[in-house]
């Protein structure tokens, strides 16, 4: 059996996370080592040029190469910001097309980079493929990454290169840290619900969970026909296109196969609602997007087991069957076609508009082009709607990026914290200025045009010596998500701060309005990370922006933006309404910004969105006092 194992990943941070747990789980004895012993195995890693270089530095890759050949396929041209699903689909398609005429003689196993496998899962996959199924579908169970990662990391062996956890142990860990969205999709509880029901769960007993999945992962495919131009997301588009016979096998019991999906606890929290959701509303939601493949997959019972038990499983299966029949009876009789699915078309249009805004050229990925006709295989409206999305992108760029934004922008007050610092630096005229920031910092593009400034980009795993000069002014730009790394950044900055110099820290809470937690309260609990170890030797001042009203205004703006991208021609009138409402919103936001610009900012408001800390060394006389 010829097998190609495909995974898609790029970015140093995500690669490091991948090799920390996911890749070691693939190296468990019952996974890739078993596959390598039973098949002609090759691993294909679809990544960026930078990602390939980073992989080459990792010791664990030697362990992988000892098992099977490893080959990199570059996807730099497919990578954009924020359209992950489109890039993932196109990358997997590129990995399949790479085999050329041998596609139909090859078994492709797909593995997303945030999946962690229980030991023996790939052994069961090969066994299932050996039964003659050209397609294998498998569920993943989502757990909160924050509490789960340390426990899994403690189980690493073989110098951190192997994670061999039995299925029931990993399921137990998932049950104990079940992601809030999975809890909300459990129809046998009545506390919390979710806006989307792509998966549904039923409690059987403390060790058993029953599930039905409309959206399930295509684990392995042996194409019956070569890969055609991509016309839908891989989850539900590859199967009907590559396996027209419709012969599908399911990994339906976690004792045979278990795949843990690790996601931040805050992921998709905006979809959660307290209370139950009616069967009618679930049916209405599913009618909008489910294809015939989705509906077919949802007829299969999937069982997760963390231990002995499950005596009530037949009874619960009957309840689930009755519930799903009730949902199906309320759904529209005709499924949504997978080809040119609304989600795919809008995602591809957004992908193309991002590329257009960066290059000024209207281009399409080769994976969606017909190799004979060289025509884009998407709906005719794609070019028109795509250009409309490009216009929105240009409008977004025109409104500016922090700190260079217009006065009606929700980030204008946040930008003022940086602009005030810049004005102060220009007035003092220091000899040397340094910016320490992440690689994607908007300040790294803005400040060099206003100040003579050096830039030190800091990776996630901060450990570099940094610059070798003494600086009169140092600004650290850090995101709220990385705030626990700030102490190390401060140590580096302190070593290179000139006598009498001043240090500033700009903490940006990106998309703060989407988090329910109050960052103002959290920030106070991060005191040890935010202040340097020798903070007693500094004069510390803080300025803050945010507030409940600012947060609500931004949430309203996001609501308008949803209607600026109509999913059908019938919704075009909503675009006109949204544009007019946004004009009113922009006026209110501008008045609010003007009013709050002169307000005292030393007091931290609720739901802080940005903070600027200034640290200047105390004089010796002040120290004696």
């Amino acid at each position: 059996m010829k097998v190609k194992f495909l995974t898609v990943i790029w970015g140093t941070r995500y690669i490091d996370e991948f090799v920390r747990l996911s890749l070691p789980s693939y190296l468990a004895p019952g996974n890739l080592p078993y596959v390598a012993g039973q098949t002609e195995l090759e691993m294909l890693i679809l990544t960026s040029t930078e990602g390939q270089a980073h992989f080459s530095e990792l010791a664990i890759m030697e362990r992988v190469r000892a098992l099977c050949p490893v080959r990199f396929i570059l996807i730099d041209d497919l990578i954009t910001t924020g359209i992950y699903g489109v890039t993932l689909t196109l990358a997997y398609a590129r990995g399949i097309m790479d085999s050329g005429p041998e596609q139909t003689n090859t078994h492709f196993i797909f593995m997303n980079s945030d999946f962690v496998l229980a030991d023996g899962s790939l052994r069961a996959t090969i066994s299932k493929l050996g039964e003659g199924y050209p397609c294998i579908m498998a569920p993943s169970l989502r757990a909160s990454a924050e509490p789960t990662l340390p426990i899994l990391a403690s189980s690493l062996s073989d110098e951190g290169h192997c994670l061999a956890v039995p299925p029931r142990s990993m399921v137990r860990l998932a049950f104990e840290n079940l992601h809030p969205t999975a809890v909300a999709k459990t129809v046998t509880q009545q506390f919390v619900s979710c806006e989307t029901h792509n998966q549904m769960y039923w409690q059987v007993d403390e060790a058993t969970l029953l599930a039905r999945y409309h959206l399930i992962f295509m684990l392995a495919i042996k194409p019956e026909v070569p890969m055609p131009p991509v016309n839908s997301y891989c989850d539900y588009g590859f199967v009907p296109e590559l396996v027209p016979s419709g012969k599908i096998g399911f990994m339906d019991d976690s004792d045979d196969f278990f795949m843990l999906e690790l996601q931040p606890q805050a992921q998709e929290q905006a979809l959660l609602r307290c209370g139950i959701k009616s069967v009618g509303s679930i049916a209405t939601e599913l009618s909008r997007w489910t294809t015939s493949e989705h509906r077919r997959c949802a007829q299969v019972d999937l069982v997760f087991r963390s231990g002995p038990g499950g005596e009530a499983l037949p009874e619960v299966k009957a309840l689930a069957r009755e519930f799903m029949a009730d949902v199906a009876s309320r759904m529209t009789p005709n499924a949504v076609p997978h080809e040119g699915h609304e989600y795919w078309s809008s995602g591809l249009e957004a992908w193309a508009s991002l590329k257009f805004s960066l290059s000024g050229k209207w281009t399409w990925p080769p994976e969606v082009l017909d190799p004979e006709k060289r025509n884009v295989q998407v709906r005719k409206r794609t070019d028109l709607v795509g250009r409309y999305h490009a216009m929105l992108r240009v409008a977004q760029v025109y409104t500016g990026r922090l700190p260079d934004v217009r006065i009606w922008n929700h980030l204008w007050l946040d930008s003022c914290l940086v602009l005030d610092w810049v004005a102060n630096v220009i007035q003092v005229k220091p000899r040397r200025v340094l910016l320490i920031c992440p690689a994607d910092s908007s300040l790294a593009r803005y400040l060099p045009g206003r100040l003579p400034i050096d830039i030190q980009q800091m990776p996630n795993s901060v450990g570099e010596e940094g610059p070798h000069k003494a600086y009169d002014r140092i600004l650290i730009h850090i995101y709220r998500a990385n705030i626990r790394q700030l102490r190390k950044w401060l140590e580096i900055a302190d070593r290179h701060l000139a006598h009498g110099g001043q240090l500033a820290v700009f903490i940006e809470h990106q998309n703060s309005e989407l988090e329910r937690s109050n960052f103002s309260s959290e920030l106070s609990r991060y005191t040890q990370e935010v202040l340097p170890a020798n903070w007693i030797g500094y004069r510390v001042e803080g300025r803050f922006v945010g507030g409940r009203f600012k947060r609500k205004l931004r949430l309203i703006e996001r609501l308008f933006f949803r209607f600026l991208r109509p999913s059908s021609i019938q919704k075009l009138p909503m675009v006109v309404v949204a544009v007019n409402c946004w004009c009113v919103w922009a006026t209110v936001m501008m008045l609010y910004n003007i009013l709050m610009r002169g307000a005292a900012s030393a007091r931290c408001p609720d739901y802080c969105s940005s903070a600027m800390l200034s640290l200047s060394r105390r004089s010796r006389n002040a120290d004696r006092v």
Side-chain angles (χ1 to χ4, degrees):
M1 185 183 294
K2 182 185 294 185
V3 174
K4 292 189 185 294
F5 185 89
L6 282 68
T7 190
V8 182
I9 186 169
W10 67 91
T12 301
R13 168 191 169 188
Y14 297 104
I15 292 173
D16 288 340
E17 291 177 356
F18 170 70
V19 301
R20 181 185 178 191
L21 289 176
S22 296
L23 185 55
S25 78
Y26 308 159
L27 295 179
N31 291 333
L32 281 182
Y34 175 85
V35 179
Q38 300 294 318
T39 71
E40 180 185 336
L41 174 65
E42 181 183 29
M43 175 180 275
L44 299 181
I45 301 178
L46 298 114
T47 187
S48 62
T49 303
E50 179 186 13
Q52 180 180 359
H54 188 60
F55 267 112
S56 66
E57 301 171 353
L58 302 173
I60 194 172
M61 293 307 298
E62 292 301 319
R63 192 66 54 94
V64 180
R65 291 188 180 94
L67 287 176
C68 64
V70 178
R71 190 155 52 89
F72 294 93
I73 298 179
L74 299 182
I75 57 169
D76 297 82
D77 60 313
L78 303 181
I79 296 173
T80 60
T81 303
I83 316 294
Y84 175 76
V86 173
T87 299
L88 181 72
T89 296
L90 297 174
Y92 277 144
R94 182 168 295 183
I96 296 173
M97 293 175 176
D98 176 75
S99 293
E102 283 298 303
Q103 293 178 47
T104 53
N105 297 321
T106 305
H107 294 80
F108 297 93
I109 297 179
F110 308 93
M111 193 59 51
N112 289 354
S113 62
D114 55 359
F115 289 160
V116 179
L117 291 179
D119 191 13
S121 295
L122 293 184
R123 182 196 303 120
T125 302
I126 295 300
S127 176
K128 199 77 170 178
L129 289 171
E131 295 175 17
Y133 288 103
C135 176
I136 307 295
M137 308 293 281
S140 62
L141 186 60
R142 182 181 284 190
S144 297
E146 292 85 349
T148 308
L149 280 170
I151 299 174
L152 285 174
S154 67
S155 301
L156 286 166
S157 62
D158 195 12
E159 299 180 347
H161 294 165
C162 181
L163 179 66
V165 181
R168 292 195 172 189
S169 297
M170 192 174 286
V171 173
R172 187 180 308 115
L173 180 61
F175 282 0
E176 293 170 353
N177 301 282
L178 206 58
H179 195 273
T181 54
V183 176
K185 296 172 188 176
T186 303
V187 298
T188 47
Q189 57 82 35
Q190 298 185 350
F191 169 63
V192 63
S193 60
C194 190
E195 289 298 297
T196 179
H197 281 72
N198 44 22
Q199 293 105 24
M200 284 179 271
Y201 303 92
W202 288 260
Q203 300 157 280
V204 179
D205 52 45
E206 63 180 9
T208 314
L209 194 66
L210 177 68
R212 293 285 190 98
Y213 279 42
H214 286 89
L215 190 60
I216 189 170
F217 187 67
M218 69 324 161
L219 174 66
I221 294 177
K222 181 178 184 289
E224 295 174 336
V225 296
M227 184 80 203
V230 179
N231 59 23
S232 193
Y233 280 115
C234 57
D235 304 85
Y236 46 91
F238 280 13
V239 176
E241 293 292 331
L242 295 175
V243 189
S245 70
K247 187 179 181 182
I248 301 174
F250 290 86
M251 309 302 292
D252 56 4
D253 195 314
S254 66
D255 280 353
D256 299 322
F257 177 97
F258 182 64
M259 187 161 61
L260 180 65
E261 180 185 352
L262 295 176
Q263 291 291 339
Q265 192 162 347
Q267 183 80 9
E268 296 182 353
Q269 65 177 1
L271 299 176
L272 304 182
R273 300 288 184 271
C274 283
I276 62 174
K277 195 170 184 180
S278 68
V279 174
S281 59
I282 293 174
T284 300
E285 171 236 320
L286 292 173
S287 296
R288 287 196 298 265
W289 61 269
T290 51
T291 66
S292 57
E293 287 73 29
H294 289 133
R295 300 186 184 196
R296 176 186 175 187
C297 290
Q299 298 174 13
V300 178
D301 287 322
L302 308 168
V303 182
F304 299 101
R305 310 173 191 268
S306 67
E311 290 80 6
L313 188 57
E315 179 184 347
V316 177
K317 282 185 176 181
L319 291 174
R321 190 161 50 248
E322 182 181 346
F323 182 90
M324 295 301 292
D326 190 11
V327 171
S329 68
R330 299 167 186 254
M331 292 172 63
T332 55
N334 297 324
V336 177
H338 75 273
E339 184 177 0
H341 193 284
E342 175 185 325
Y343 290 175
W344 170 252
S345 294
S346 60
L348 185 59
E349 290 155 5
W351 182 95
S353 66
L354 283 172
K355 288 290 187 181
F356 177 81
S357 66
L358 293 173
S359 66
K361 298 180 180 179
W362 201 253
T363 58
W364 297 98
E367 287 72 23
V368 302
L369 300 178
D370 188 304
E372 299 293 334
K373 301 178 182 178
R374 308 306 294 174
N375 291 323
V376 179
Q377 300 300 300
V378 291
R379 290 181 290 185
K380 293 180 179 179
R381 72 182 185 91
T382 299
D383 278 346
L384 179 61
V385 177
R387 282 177 167 77
Y388 170 71
H389 286 180
M391 182 183 69
L392 291 180
R393 182 70 177 174
V394 171
Q396 182 182 3
V397 171
Y398 177 73
T399 61
R401 296 186 61 183
L402 189 148
D404 185 21
V405 299
R406 306 300 183 265
I407 194 170
W408 60 81
N409 193 294
H410 72 284
L411 292 175
W412 189 77
L413 289 173
D414 306 69
S415 298
C416 287
L417 295 178
V418 178
L419 297 177
D420 290 347
W421 178 85
V422 172
N424 178 265
V425 171
I426 292 175
Q427 183 178 5
V428 174
K429 296 180 180 180
R431 291 173 300 171
R432 293 194 180 98
V433 183
L434 173 67
L435 170 66
I436 300 176
C437 63
D440 60 347
S441 170
S442 58
L443 301 189
R445 291 184 289 270
Y446 174 82
L447 294 180
R450 278 77 183 172
L451 297 170
I453 190 169
D454 293 340
I455 297 176
Q456 174 71 18
Q457 294 183 348
M458 301 300 280
N460 272 331
S461 53
V462 181
E464 301 181 359
E465 287 298 320
H468 300 282
K469 300 178 183 178
Y471 293 89
D472 301 303
R473 293 290 187 275
I474 298 179
L475 174 63
I476 297 177
H477 179 204
I478 192 167
Y479 301 131
R480 173 256 181 273
N482 301 327
I483 199 168
R484 292 190 179 278
Q485 300 174 3
L486 181 55
R487 175 62 70 89
K488 184 65 178 180
W489 295 30
L490 288 167
E491 291 175 0
I492 295 174
D494 186 68
R495 290 199 299 266
H496 301 284
L497 189 63
H499 179 71
Q502 292 185 357
L503 171 64
V505 180
F506 177 56
I507 304 172
E508 182 184 354
H509 189 187
Q510 294 179 308
N511 299 320
S512 59
E513 68 278 0
L514 296 181
E515 291 193 16
R516 297 182 180 181
S517 60
N518 190 342
F519 181 55
S520 301
S521 300
E522 293 180 12
L523 188 56
S524 62
R525 296 197 292 269
Y526 292 140
T527 300
Q528 285 189 324
E529 286 86 359
V530 170
L531 296 180
N534 58 342
W535 67 270
I536 294 178
Y538 284 91
R539 179 177 289 103
V540 182
E541 298 176 351
R543 299 179 63 204
F544 311 88
V545 297
R548 294 179 182 271
F549 188 68
K550 178 176 181 289
R551 180 172 181 266
K552 288 181 179 179
L553 283 176
R554 174 56 175 162
L555 287 172
I556 293 172
E557 183 186 33
R558 280 186 172 274
L559 178 63
F560 295 152
F561 284 171
R562 287 175 55 189
F563 293 106
L564 291 179
R565 297 179 183 272
S567 56
S568 65
I569 194 170
Q570 289 80 10
K571 295 183 180 180
L572 282 177
M574 295 301 298
V575 175
V576 179
V577 175
V579 169
N580 285 280
C581 290
W582 184 86
C583 292
V584 175
W585 174 92
T587 302
V588 175
M589 191 77 242
M590 179 177 65
L591 294 175
Y592 175 80
N593 285 338
I594 294 173
L595 178 64
M596 298 305 295
R597 180 67 172 101
S601 58
R603 297 180 61 183
C604 184
D606 284 338
Y607 297 99
C608 173
S609 57
S610 292
M612 179 71 81
L613 301 183
S614 299
L615 301 95
S616 54
R617 293 188 188 275
R618 292 182 178 273
S619 65
R620 293 184 177 180
N621 290 335
D623 290 341
R624 284 198 293 268
V625 172

